[in-house]
Amino acid sequence: MKQVSPSATLKLTAKAKEMKAKGLPVVNFGAGEPDFDTPDPVKEEGARALRAGFTKYTPTSGIPELREAVRKKFEEDQGLKYSAENVVISCGAKHSLYNLIQVLCDPGDEVIVPSPYWVSYPEMVRLAGGKPVFAQTSQNESFRLTAEELKKALTSRTKILILNSPSNPTGGILEEKDLRALADLVVKHDLVCISDEIYEYYIYNGLKHVSIASLGEEIKKRTFVVNGASKSYSMTGLRIGYLAGDAEVVKKIGILQDHSTSNPSSVSQKMAVAALALPKSYRAGVRDLFQKRSVLMQSLFQRAKGFKPFKPEGAFYIFCDIEKTGLSSERLCERLLEEANVAVIPGKSFGSDRHARFSFACGEKDIEEGMRRVIDWSEKNVK
Ligand SMILES: *Cc1c(COP(=O)(O)O)cnc(C)c1O
């Protein structure tokens, strides 16, 4: 635990909530979850399951109907063929990732994490006794990990590559040609790939989500695809995540759950079955709404002095180069919160001190008001 830091995202969100509770008009661009309500059919199913008394232990790795629904989802969305024994349900995708890294990573193993990265990856690796090794990506190259950068990070101790497309925090994605180049290296060096695809339905500008696991049998065998209900169906508090991959490893994750958390919440599992059965039009609706917000926020950034945003291709964040403000990312975020009452997450916690993460998982009114304050603040404070 001495090597592990507290989650900066949660810390800043807590401070913003505290200020809001005191009556300050805080606009929250810190959110890491969709703002809209959980869909009605999902809530109905939860109420039904409760009334029917579905409140007892379930199989640790998930109820058969949810494992089957997840199996089917992978086949329908990406043409990925698994059987139910390749699938395990956990208490959120974070839990899926944590368990997977615990099972795969031995002390001293190196895990390549493209940077900027989601806050929890390096800490999860450290908690397993492994060593996170960062592979740099840059805004000029749309935050895409290149084969060259991956090669630079490889050593004889490298075991795992973590990918996250669409990415939190950058909003970048990896297209098929990028993924092919990376997959070749994963296969050549006999690595394992963890592909966190939790934002797969949040993808913009007509781009298409591709899973690295769909690029051939060799890479599929070595890949664990992680996903969940939180972001896709606005079910963050209900804690359902899942992954698919090698059956032996999946079985071990089941054993780890046997002796730690046991099954994910019984009622939440039923709700996830209902969520996965929602018509495809539901996701398209959500995507179009978020695309509109991303365009709005992006256009307002044009007027904010010293802020250079990356145009998001996916997820619901604008990762913004703030170097020209002359402040560190933590100082900038402190000042925006205190002086403009706008909550933003410092890039430092994602591995880049010259960036800040602005979430557009909030209403258009909030985007307009929050960005107006950022613009005003920048006019007064940026040379
Ligand atoms: C939100 C998030 C997760 C975890 O979500 P859960 O609520 O645990 O399912 C995993 N990876 C990334 C990149 C995320 O942003």
Side-chain angles (χ1 to χ4, degrees):
M1 286 311 295
K2 282 184 186 148
Q3 295 180 54
V4 178
S5 350
S7 165
T9 347
L10 297 181
K11 211 166 76 188
L12 210 122
T13 319
K15 186 171 179 195
K17 276 188 182 150
E18 207 177 281
M19 287 172 67
K20 214 166 183 169
K22 279 190 199 143
L24 289 161
V26 175
V27 172
N28 189 5
F29 289 152
E33 60 186 346
D35 56 313
F36 57 88
D37 199 6
T38 309
D40 278 335
V42 175
K43 292 204 275 189
E44 289 307 323
E45 176 57 21
R48 198 203 55 76
L50 271 177
R51 270 190 240 107
F54 195 72
T55 52
K56 304 292 169 61
Y57 290 136
T58 76
T60 303
S61 297
I63 53 176
E65 57 181 312
L66 180 53
R67 288 173 87 182
E68 169 56 23
V70 168
R71 188 204 62 72
K72 200 163 135 242
K73 175 232 172 294
F74 281 122
E75 183 161 357
E76 282 177 359
D77 284 350
Q78 276 125 11
L80 285 170
K81 290 205 170 68
Y82 293 109
S83 55
E85 68 192 26
N86 296 111
V87 172
V88 53
I89 315 299
S90 302
C91 311
K94 192 180 261 185
H95 189 219
S96 306
L97 288 160
Y98 179 82
N99 287 350
L100 183 57
I101 291 170
Q102 283 291 324
V103 169
L104 292 174
C105 182
D106 289 326
D109 282 347
E110 293 183 1
V111 179
I112 299 181
V113 179
S115 177
Y117 47 78
W118 183 52
V119 279
S120 296
Y121 300 136
E123 308 304 356
M124 285 177 181
V125 172
R126 289 184 186 112
L127 284 165
K131 183 181 162 202
V133 173
F134 300 105
Q136 216 49 52
T137 70
S138 74
Q139 187 160 338
N140 288 338
E141 289 182 297
S142 303
F143 296 110
R144 293 180 186 203
L145 176 65
T146 61
E148 287 65 47
E149 283 302 316
L150 175 55
K151 272 187 212 154
K152 274 195 232 161
L154 287 170
T155 75
S156 59
R157 303 238 40 185
T158 309
K159 188 167 210 176
I160 303 171
L161 167 67
I162 300 183
L163 296 179
N164 174 217
S165 170
S167 155
N168 173 10
T170 68
I173 66 155
L174 291 162
E175 286 191 283
E176 186 170 332
K177 62 175 185 336
D178 311 307
L179 291 168
R180 281 206 185 275
L182 300 174
D184 286 348
L185 284 171
V186 168
V187 172
K188 186 171 160 204
H189 294 270
D190 198 19
L191 310 180
V192 176
C193 179
I194 298 177
S195 183
D196 178 351
E197 303 179 13
I198 193 115
Y199 293 98
E200 68 166 322
Y201 298 144
Y202 295 87
I203 192 151
Y204 313 120
N205 318 329
L207 291 160
K208 196 172 151 276
H209 175 71
V210 179
S211 173
I212 191 167
S214 70
L215 300 180
E217 265 316 300
E218 281 302 309
I219 184 68
K220 179 171 175 252
K221 273 198 302 206
R222 290 174 167 78
T223 301
F224 293 86
V225 184
V226 178
N227 211 318
S230 286
K231 309 286 161 57
S232 300
Y233 302 106
S234 204
M235 290 171 62
T236 42
L238 291 160
R239 311 309 305 134
I240 295 294
Y242 49 81
L243 66 82
D246 178 76
E248 277 309 303
V249 172
V250 161
K251 205 156 130 200
K252 299 236 165 68
I253 292 174
I255 296 170
L256 177 55
Q257 293 190 174
D258 279 342
H259 297 297
S260 51
T261 52
S262 289
N263 60 276
S265 153
S266 57
V267 170
S268 296
Q269 290 187 69
K270 287 281 189 187
M271 296 173 82
V273 172
L276 287 164
L278 288 170
K280 288 204 170 80
S281 57
Y282 169 79
R283 308 164 194 164
V286 170
R287 186 205 51 219
D288 292 349
L289 176 70
F290 276 72
Q291 161 107 48
K292 218 169 129 208
R293 291 170 175 181
S294 94
V295 170
L296 174 65
M297 191 180 246
Q298 181 78 23
S299 72
L300 291 167
F301 262 118
Q302 305 291 314
R303 286 155 44 203
K305 233 172 126 185
F307 291 77
K308 194 175 130 216
F310 172 68
K311 183 180 174 196
E313 301 169 317
F316 37 69
Y317 311 100
I318 289 188
F319 207 51
C320 191
D321 188 323
I322 49 105
E323 202 185 26
K324 292 251 156 65
T325 64
L327 298 170
S328 74
S329 65
E330 279 172 326
R331 189 70 196 120
L332 173 78
C333 293
E334 258 170 36
R335 288 193 57 188
L336 282 179
L337 186 56
E338 280 160 16
E339 295 165 24
N341 290 345
V342 175
V344 180
I345 310 288
K348 193 175 176 199
S349 36
F350 309 107
S352 175
D353 203 24
R354 61 182 284 175
H355 285 89
R357 192 193 73 176
F358 291 69
S359 165
F360 52 86
C362 55
E364 287 181 22
K365 283 227 162 61
D366 275 357
I367 294 177
E368 277 163 3
E369 173 61 21
M371 287 307 298
R372 186 190 60 73
R373 294 186 201 169
V374 171
I375 293 163
D376 287 352
W377 185 90
S378 73
E379 268 161 13
K380 281 191 213 109
N381 295 286
V382 183
K383 275 197 227 86

